[in-house]
Amino acid sequence: MKLCKWERFFIYPILGILLIVFAFYDLDIMKSLYDPTNMVGRIGELIGEMPTQLLGVYASLLLFRFRDKSTKARNIIYGIVFMVLAVFFAGYGGGQIWKYLQNDTYGFGNHVWILFPIAAAYLLVGGLLAFLPKYQHQEKIVAFGLFFIAMYVGIIILMNVFKFIWYRPRWRYLYPLYGDEASSYFAPWYLPNCHWKFSDSYASFPSGHTMNALTVIVASLIPSFVDKLKGKEWCFRLFAYLWAIYVAISRTIMGAHFPSDTTAGFLIALVFFDLMVTFFYPFIKKKLNKKGIESPIENPQ
């Protein structure tokens, strides 16, 4: 489902206006909202990317279920690849929560064991969603899975390229280090520092959490192969927008990103999805149709 005209003519200008506003008020808003003990911020930090990681598990297991089995070699190779991807998303999701819980802010301690039940929960939920329902339209299922993987990889690359070039210091790094003098080290978003090196303390622009949170917008393609969800694409799209906005606010509260960082992250991710769903998604479906994948593959419930 492509972005409709009103999305493009409404959301893009608003994001552009916000970037202009935050060029003047970034620091003031951060000073007002920064509170690493705030529960809204903490929850957003911990679970902000959870829907996207779960979607990654789901997409990978769909690809595993409907993989090419035309030859024994393809069956085995694709099976291994897609199962590894599912474990990766589950492990990354669990590892991310474990990583944040280690911070002194949470007081949880270095309990690595928490990673495993969280990862197992991802695999369980993703597996139930991927294997229990009866699906139709195999080419659309495979296209969805491949599209999500491509979208996720693209977001990761874009995110780190921008962080590498901008090298913008995070407020939660500056304030504990410099206190009231931290404002002297503030860098506006429109001036990339270009130090040509990477540091997590200087990875404020753009917000990776916001970009990954908005990646769940790919779920709006699910109704294309689940007939019971036809016409409900906007439910997925609306959830993605609202969830990304919440995560964006939580990142500013935690001092991880200035408002301009989260706005830029939202904008970059949305533009990338817009381009991908307009050009790449139809291309994948066309290629799969040429391979002669039958549709539907199962009888509807």
Side-chain angles (χ1 to χ4, degrees):
M1 180 182 175
K2 300 179 183 179
L3 295 186
C4 66
K5 289 184 178 180
W6 79 261
E7 283 180 281
R8 290 171 177 159
F9 290 115
F10 179 73
I11 297 178
Y12 286 145
I14 285 184
L15 293 173
I17 291 171
L18 286 176
L19 282 175
I20 295 173
V21 171
F22 294 146
F24 298 96
Y25 297 103
D26 240 358
L27 185 58
D28 293 332
I29 294 173
M30 176 61 79
K31 288 180 177 179
S32 299
L33 294 182
Y34 178 54
D35 180 9
T37 65
N38 184 284
M39 288 304 298
V40 172
R42 288 186 175 188
I43 293 172
E45 181 171 71
L46 288 174
I47 69 171
E49 296 184 34
M50 185 175 285
T52 298
Q53 304 305 332
L54 179 58
L55 190 62
V57 175
Y58 172 64
S60 300
L61 291 178
L62 280 178
L63 289 171
F64 175 86
R65 178 181 176 184
F66 299 110
R67 66 190 182 277
D68 185 350
K69 302 177 183 178
S70 58
T71 67
K72 183 177 181 179
R74 290 182 178 182
N75 185 21
I76 294 174
I77 293 173
Y78 287 136
I80 292 174
V81 169
F82 296 137
M83 186 55 69
V84 168
L85 279 174
V87 173
F88 164 77
F89 284 113
Y92 183 85
Q96 190 177 48
I97 294 177
W98 166 66
K99 173 187 174 183
Y100 283 115
L101 286 175
Q102 291 183 74
N103 295 341
D104 295 336
T105 305
Y106 297 93
F108 185 78
N110 186 19
H111 299 293
V112 69
W113 60 265
I114 192 67
L115 184 160
F116 299 100
I118 295 174
Y122 273 110
L123 289 172
L124 176 61
V125 176
L128 291 175
L129 292 173
F131 287 96
L132 285 185
K134 291 184 178 181
Y135 288 107
Q136 296 177 278
H137 314 295
Q138 183 176 356
E139 81 285 354
K140 293 180 180 179
I141 295 172
V142 176
F144 164 78
L146 295 176
F147 180 86
F148 177 84
I149 301 300
M151 176 79 181
Y152 187 88
V153 171
I155 287 293
I156 295 297
I157 293 173
L158 285 171
M159 174 202 316
N160 286 286
V161 167
F162 276 99
K163 287 179 181 292
F164 181 78
I165 295 174
W166 252 255
Y167 202 71
R168 190 185 194 191
R170 299 181 190 267
W171 183 251
R172 68 181 181 189
Y173 164 74
L174 293 177
Y175 188 76
L177 194 63
Y178 300 107
D180 293 337
E181 298 181 3
S183 300
S184 303
Y185 298 90
F186 166 77
W189 72 265
Y190 51 84
L191 294 177
N193 286 304
C194 301
H195 280 230
W196 306 114
K197 59 182 179 179
F198 186 86
S199 169
D200 185 66
S201 299
Y202 287 81
S204 189
F205 185 94
S207 169
H209 256 70
T210 305
M211 293 178 73
N212 282 324
L214 190 60
T215 302
V216 79
I217 196 173
V218 178
S220 62
L221 301 177
I222 292 176
S224 68
F225 58 86
V226 179
D227 289 343
K228 290 184 177 180
L229 295 176
K230 293 288 186 183
K232 296 182 180 179
E233 293 85 357
W234 276 106
C235 295
F236 293 96
R237 192 69 62 84
L238 181 60
F239 170 79
Y241 291 144
L242 294 177
W243 184 254
I245 291 171
Y246 162 66
V247 172
I249 294 172
S250 73
R251 298 310 283 153
T252 300
I253 292 173
M254 295 301 290
H257 297 285
F258 294 95
S260 59
D261 301 327
T262 58
T263 302
F266 196 111
L267 177 61
I268 294 168
L270 187 61
V271 169
F272 187 60
F273 172 77
D274 195 1
L275 293 173
M276 288 279 287
V277 80
T278 301
F279 300 106
F280 185 65
Y281 186 57
F283 172 78
I284 295 178
K285 289 196 297 182
K286 184 177 180 180
K287 287 292 184 181
L288 292 172
N289 283 328
K290 283 185 177 180
K291 290 179 67 175
I293 297 178
E294 296 182 359
S295 174
I297 55 174
E298 297 181 11
N299 293 325
Q301 290 178 326

